[in-house]
Amino acid sequence: MGSVAIRRPDPAIRLLSAGAGLVHSAVLLDSGLEHYRGSFRNPAMLLPLATSTVNIAIDGTRLVTGCSTPDSSLRVAGQGGAVAVGLIGMGFHLFNIGKRPSGFGWGNLFHAAPLGAPAALVLAGALGAAADRAHASIISDGRAVGALCAAGIVGTAAEAALLHFRGAFQNPAMWLPVAVPPIAAAALAANAVVRRAQPTTAALLIVTAALGFAGAAFHAYGVSRRMGGWRNWRQNILAGPPLPAPAAFTGLAVAGLGALILIGRVRG
């Protein structure tokens, strides 16, 4: 009797799927809190919640099964919708900052609509699409995906630098997401250029992923320090440091590990 070949789930695809799902989850929770604080006064504020939810299901299915969802139209609509909504959201947020007195001054960059969340939605949609293309063997070496993850990590670090500068870096740990992830991003970009996966880069990405979890814990501690602490969570969770934001580091670093696996296969 002939044996039937069973295709084992690809770890690179699973890592890309997990990374995209984590970034979508961060966007869902962060946008949900921020837009709830804004009373959803613009109906378009519901769109990132809807697109993130759809893509979490798509990425979760691919993560568990190692395969893309059978309905290609759903995948294209979900991932394309995420990119489109993210770009539109960036436009809305830019308009929101620009129309305020002093325009793009420091005060408005600190306190007006953040640019990072819509950009993260664009990245998450693109990472989900990359996972599907890797599963279909349309992409194989991961260089473009690695560059995308590196750019996303740098952008997330820049947002952390802006908000931690607003907090006067009062805790020395606030320097970590500003210092470590850009180094990991530079290493990942360099690996993409030379087409070689280095163990040091993987270690830096793992540290960056861990910083996402640590950042969420620090933000939870920041909420607890506000008047009333977690007993007054309805107010403090909106006014304190954003709990879901650090998860973007974890998601992008995990996706970066998936890209690193694909890069390493070029010389396999």
Side-chain angles (χ1 to χ4, degrees):
M1 294 179 64
S3 60
V4 178
I6 299 176
R7 182 177 179 179
R8 298 181 62 184
D10 190 327
I13 294 172
R14 282 190 155 168
L15 286 168
L16 288 172
S17 302
L22 282 168
V23 178
H24 274 301
S25 298
V27 172
L28 173 63
L29 296 173
D30 196 27
S31 296
L33 288 172
E34 294 296 325
H35 290 180
Y36 172 76
R37 184 168 63 176
S39 302
F40 291 98
R41 58 179 174 269
N42 186 331
M45 296 169 86
L46 291 167
L47 290 176
L49 280 67
T51 52
S52 294
T53 301
V54 170
N55 280 283
I56 288 170
I58 293 172
D59 295 326
T61 299
R62 193 189 311 105
L63 172 63
V64 172
T65 65
C67 302
S68 300
T69 54
D71 189 348
S72 61
S73 60
L74 176 63
R75 296 199 311 273
V76 172
Q79 294 154 2
V83 173
V85 170
L87 291 173
I88 293 170
M90 291 176 67
F92 271 117
H93 285 202
L94 284 169
F95 175 74
N96 178 277
I97 296 171
K99 74 177 182 180
R100 291 171 174 243
S102 301
F104 289 89
W106 285 111
N108 290 334
L109 289 174
F110 287 151
H111 300 290
L115 295 175
L121 188 57
V122 175
L123 284 169
L127 288 174
D132 280 332
R133 293 172 71 84
H135 181 262
S137 299
I138 298 175
I139 60 173
S140 59
D141 63 15
R143 287 175 296 163
V145 185
L148 178 67
C149 292
I153 291 171
V154 169
T156 306
E159 184 182 30
L162 178 68
L163 297 181
H164 287 186
F165 177 71
R166 184 182 71 180
F169 289 96
Q170 56 186 305
N171 187 325
M174 295 171 78
W175 286 102
L176 291 175
V178 177
V180 176
I183 298 173
L188 179 59
N191 283 193
V193 171
V194 301
R195 302 186 184 186
R196 185 185 296 274
Q198 299 288 348
T200 304
T201 303
L204 286 167
L205 289 170
I206 290 171
V207 172
T208 300
L211 281 176
F213 291 110
F218 273 112
H219 285 199
Y221 174 67
V223 172
S224 73
R225 292 184 61 198
R226 300 186 69 86
M227 186 171 293
W230 282 99
R231 295 189 303 276
N232 188 27
W233 65 270
R234 289 181 179 84
Q235 177 178 335
N236 289 339
I237 203 170
L238 296 174
L243 290 174
F249 277 121
T250 303
L252 289 167
V254 168
L257 288 169
L260 200 63
I261 292 175
L262 293 175
I263 291 169
R265 290 175 183 168
V266 175
R267 294 177 180 270

